[in-house]
């Protein structure tokens, strides 16, 4: 069977192909010129192209469906080789900055929210991805090609850097080896050139894996899905807390190497009448004491059949105000793509009958 060339870091490709500099050229063709077949790699010798064609493929998943939200975000449904599907979301964020003359310049920053698994084993009570169970890990190439396909589909210039958040389907640290590989492939300067500092890995708190991720010294940013400040409630919402409680997560975060200019993000999903009170906010402040943290409040996004309710914005604002008053950096996450079910926790696998698109 042919190997997917997108699964290889440049170092690995240099081991496979000689002379080594050809790996760099292949990377440029695929990730910077968006070329998806070896025949068009015109600066490679013909024999090499033949050899490549015999042994490798450039496998980019098929786009089955694109849904555009009124807020500009787009949800992609991809079909993988084995017929399973994953979703990814393109989030354009408008930024305003002043140039040296003080004039306002507006530009759009793109963030791609990628999936790391088909389904998820963690089984959080509030998450739609969890409902379908776990199917399999994605390979590094399957993670990377979500971004490649989206950049291509939107004509995003190859030198336009995007941000990556590993916040789609799946628990990235449960697929650590492939995610770590994807981080490296994304950041290669002959490829997409997305610095690890623009890549955020979000985890439900697999404490030993946070440690392992830290040991890899990739330089990525870390986000922790905390969502509750006492173990009893957290266990109800996130069964993984029975294995790794809040204390063990906080300890792992304290040991995690992070760029001095950056902060660890704590995601706090606010669910109406569950964890939205100021007593929880107070406990949260205490918990984060001594950590360079920022809190990102997420409003629960409902889906058909969900057992929880979305909080009112006033409750969320009150929670945020309390944290800010106590000196904790805190933002409220804009729910992008709510109208197309592309918001946090709303991504899921879709059954594709062969030959039919959804
Ligand atoms: N598995 C990882 C990353 C994917 S989920 C993790 O849990 O961190 C990305 C974020 O969406 C997490 O913070 C998750 O808790 C949150 N989320 C899950 N379901 C949600 C829902 N229904 N509404 C809002 N956020 C949700
Ligand atoms: Fe998995 Fe994250 Fe959903 Fe929990 S919130 S089930 S860890 S994807």
């Amino acid at each position: 069977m042919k190997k997917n060339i997108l699964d290889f870091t440049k170092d690995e490709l240099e081991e496979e192909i000689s002379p080594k500099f050809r790996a760099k050229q292949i990377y440029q063709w695929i990730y910077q010129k968006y070329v998806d077949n070896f025949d068009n790699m015109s600066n490679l010798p013909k024999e090499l192209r033949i050899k490549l064609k015999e042994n490798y493929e450039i496998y980019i998943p098929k786009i089955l469906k694109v849904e555009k939200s009124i807020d500009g975000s787009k949800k992609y449904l991809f079909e993988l080789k084995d017929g399973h599907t994953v979703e990814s979301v393109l989030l354009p964020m408008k930024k305003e900055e002043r140039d040296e003359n003080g004039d306002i310049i507006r530009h759009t920053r793109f963030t791609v929210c990628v999936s790391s698994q088909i389904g998820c084993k963690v089984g959080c009570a509030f998450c739609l991805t969890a409902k379908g169970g776990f199917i399999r890990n994605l390979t590094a190439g399957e993670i990377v090609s979500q971004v490649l396909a989206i950049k291509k589909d939107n004509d995003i210039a190859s030198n336009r850097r995007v941000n990556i958040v590993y916040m789609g389907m799946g628990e990235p640290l449960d697929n650590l080896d492939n995610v770590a590989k994807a981080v490296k492939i994304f950041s290669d300067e002959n490829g997409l050139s997305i610095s690890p500092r623009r890549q955020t890995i979000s985890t439900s708190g697999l404490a030993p894996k946070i440690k392992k991720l830290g040991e890899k010294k990739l330089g990525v940013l870390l986000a922790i899905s905390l969502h509750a400040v006492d173990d009893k409630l957290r266990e109800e919402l996130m069964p993984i807390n029975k294995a790794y409680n809040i204390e063990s997560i906080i300890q792992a975060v304290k040991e995690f190497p992070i760029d001095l200019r950056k902060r660890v993000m704590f995601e706090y999903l606010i669910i109406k009448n569950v964890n939205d009170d100021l007593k929880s906010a107070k406990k949260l402040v205490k918990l984060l004491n001594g950590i360079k943290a920022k809190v990102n409040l997420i409003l629960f996004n409902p889906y058909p059949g969900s057992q929880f309710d979305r909080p009112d914005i006033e409750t969320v604002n009150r929670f945020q105000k309390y944290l800010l008053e106590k000196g904790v950096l805190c933002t409220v996450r804009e729910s992008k793509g709510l109208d197309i079910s592309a918001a946090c926790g709303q991504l899921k696998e879709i059954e594709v009958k062969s030959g039919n698109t959804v």
Side-chain angles (χ1 to χ4, degrees):
M1 212 173 76
K2 290 185 186 176
K3 299 181 233 178
N4 182 7
I5 206 153
L6 301 177
D7 281 328
F8 289 82
T9 64
K10 204 170 78 244
D11 287 351
E12 287 171 342
L13 205 56
E14 285 177 348
E15 295 297 311
E16 298 257 318
I17 287 158
S18 81
K20 279 187 175 178
F21 73 93
R22 297 288 179 204
K24 198 165 140 181
Q25 291 177 319
I26 295 170
Y27 250 62
Q28 288 166 341
W29 280 116
I30 296 176
Y31 297 108
Q32 299 186 344
K33 298 182 192 145
Y34 302 154
V35 161
D36 57 7
N37 70 71
F38 295 113
D39 287 327
N40 290 356
M41 300 187 176
S42 54
N43 58 358
L44 302 185
K46 197 155 174 244
E47 313 77 70
L48 178 60
R49 278 185 261 159
I50 293 170
K51 209 179 124 211
L52 286 169
K53 268 202 319 207
E54 277 167 11
N55 298 295
Y56 303 90
E57 61 177 343
I58 305 169
Y59 184 74
I60 306 201
K62 192 162 126 204
I63 299 174
L64 282 186
K65 190 171 167 187
V66 186
E67 284 173 272
K68 197 164 184 222
S69 160
I70 40 166
D71 62 27
S73 55
K74 278 182 176 181
K75 181 168 78 167
Y76 281 80
L77 177 72
F78 291 107
E79 185 182 8
L80 305 173
K81 226 177 168 181
D82 59 2
H84 284 298
T85 60
V86 280
E87 294 185 313
S88 326
V89 186
L90 173 69
L91 302 148
M93 314 269 186
K94 293 244 181 314
K95 289 247 179 239
E96 283 189 359
E97 274 169 23
R98 286 186 188 275
D99 64 11
E100 57 272 27
N101 303 321
D103 294 329
I104 292 180
I105 34 174
R106 290 188 182 83
H107 57 99
T108 308
R109 268 268 166 77
F110 291 106
T111 296
V112 182
C113 176
V114 296
S115 292
S116 55
Q117 297 180 315
I118 305 172
C120 184
K121 281 182 207 159
V122 179
C124 300
F126 46 77
C127 176
L128 185 59
T129 302
K131 303 281 176 261
F134 172 74
I135 295 172
R136 69 168 174 88
N137 282 332
L138 295 187
T139 67
E142 286 171 333
I143 298 172
V144 170
S145 52
Q146 295 169 47
V147 175
L148 191 56
I150 287 179
K151 272 189 92 174
K152 215 169 152 177
D153 191 54
N154 289 277
D155 289 324
I156 300 176
S158 59
N159 60 358
R160 258 315 262 292
R161 287 173 199 167
V162 300
N163 296 330
I164 311 268
V165 292
Y166 296 80
M167 295 185 185
M169 294 160 60
E171 165 52 56
L173 297 192
D174 192 28
N175 184 16
L176 182 55
D177 288 341
N178 291 333
V179 166
K181 225 176 181 196
V183 170
K184 286 188 193 158
I185 300 172
F186 278 134
S187 61
D188 196 285
E189 55 180 18
N190 294 115
L192 293 162
S193 203
I194 303 166
S195 141
R197 282 191 287 118
R198 289 172 171 274
Q199 302 186 45
T200 303
I201 295 185
S202 175
T203 175
S204 56
L206 313 185
K209 293 287 180 65
I210 295 174
K211 189 160 181 261
K212 270 206 168 139
L213 176 68
E215 285 165 1
K216 288 185 182 287
K217 298 221 171 5
L218 297 171
V220 285
L221 303 183
L222 182 66
I224 304 287
S225 292
L226 193 64
H227 309 335
V229 287
D230 65 60
D231 283 315
K232 193 171 161 288
L233 175 62
R234 199 165 188 274
E235 274 174 26
E236 281 168 33
L237 298 176
M238 307 173 75
I240 191 79
N241 197 72
K242 290 185 192 125
Y244 310 114
N245 65 11
I246 296 175
E247 180 52 36
S248 72
I249 299 171
I250 297 290
Q251 197 49 41
V253 169
K254 284 184 173 160
E255 290 163 15
F256 190 81
I258 190 119
D259 187 318
L260 287 174
R261 289 161 297 179
K262 299 286 182 178
R263 292 169 185 272
V264 174
M265 184 200 285
F266 284 84
E267 296 160 282
Y268 190 92
L269 173 68
I270 302 197
I271 306 174
K272 189 171 182 168
N273 297 334
V274 173
N275 60 357
D276 56 359
D277 55 309
L278 288 185
K279 237 171 95 188
S280 299
K282 193 171 171 186
K283 237 174 151 179
L284 182 57
V285 174
K286 220 169 128 197
L287 211 56
L288 299 183
N289 189 18
I291 300 177
K292 252 189 101 182
K294 63 175 173 198
V295 172
N296 196 219
L297 301 177
I298 312 172
L299 283 72
F300 173 70
N301 291 320
Y303 47 86
S306 60
Q307 47 168 324
F308 300 111
D309 296 313
R310 192 171 173 84
D312 342 299
I313 194 70
E314 293 76 34
T315 316
V316 177
N317 290 343
R318 195 180 55 181
F319 201 98
Q320 180 191 27
K321 191 160 163 263
Y322 182 88
L323 294 187
L324 291 174
E325 278 168 6
K326 299 290 170 197
V328 176
L329 255 182
C330 176
T331 48
V332 178
R333 183 175 297 177
E334 269 181 81
S335 272
K336 289 258 183 192
L338 254 189
D339 53 335
I340 53 167
S341 293
C344 298
Q346 295 186 314
L347 304 186
K348 61 176 188 320
E349 225 234 325
I350 284 170
E351 240 176 77
V352 185
K353 310 236 171 2
S354 61
N356 284 344
T357 50
V358 188

